[in-house]
Amino acid sequence: MKITLSIEGETLTAEMVSCETTDQFPAMMPVTIRMHDFCKRIKYSYFDGPLSLNRVKQIGYEMGDIAYWPEGNELLLYYRHDGKPMRSDIIVLGRILSRSELLGECRGSVDITFTPQVPVK
């Protein structure tokens, strides 16, 4: 499933992974989430409640990953890789397909709207 991320007048496309954990996120859409910056590599925000954990956790990330961090109950958008290792497991939900670095150009906190893309028939 593809989703759209709208941020400060720009649009990014992401491809979500198919799994139970990921299936819960589109059910919340469309939604605008206030995302905060962390270490100039991640935009993050908290979920109201935990997601199910029916997907393999991993340590490590790639630029553009959309992930869930169960320990903090947070949605993570990785826009820069600084070579520093992760200290805990994440569940990758999907990947921003291009221009994830745009998230880094948005200094500090920013509102991001997540919308499922409707397949063309």
Side-chain angles (χ1 to χ4, degrees):
M1 164 187 224
K2 288 188 177 179
I3 65 170
T4 299
L5 288 73
S6 300
I7 176 171
E8 296 189 341
E10 298 285 340
T11 301
L12 304 176
T13 299
E15 181 81 38
M16 302 303 284
V17 184
S18 180
C19 72
E20 186 177 333
T21 303
T22 304
D23 291 346
Q24 295 170 70
F25 188 47
M28 301 173 194
M29 294 181 208
V31 63
T32 299
I33 301 175
R34 185 77 169 166
M35 309 268 324
H36 312 282
D37 201 75
F38 181 73
C39 293
K40 298 181 182 176
R41 68 176 172 175
I42 302 168
K43 293 289 186 194
Y44 74 94
S45 189
Y46 301 98
F47 280 113
D48 290 334
L51 300 180
S52 77
L53 302 178
N54 290 342
R55 179 144 173 91
V56 177
K57 296 178 187 176
Q58 69 182 49
I59 292 180
Y61 64 94
E62 298 295 326
M63 236 174 73
D65 278 351
I66 299 171
Y68 174 59
W69 181 43
E71 189 175 316
N73 195 39
E74 295 176 14
L75 174 66
L76 310 172
L77 305 178
Y78 290 91
Y79 63 84
R80 185 173 155 261
H81 204 301
D82 59 7
K84 294 180 182 175
M86 296 294 298
R87 294 202 168 119
S88 60
D89 296 339
I90 60 171
I91 298 172
V92 174
L93 304 176
R95 168 152 304 150
I96 298 170
L97 300 176
S98 64
R99 297 181 39 219
S100 61
E101 66 279 357
L102 176 67
L103 296 169
E105 295 171 13
C106 301
R107 302 289 179 219
S109 299
V110 65
D111 291 329
I112 301 177
T113 302
F114 297 81
T115 310
Q117 288 187 358
V118 179
V120 178
K121 294 183 181 186

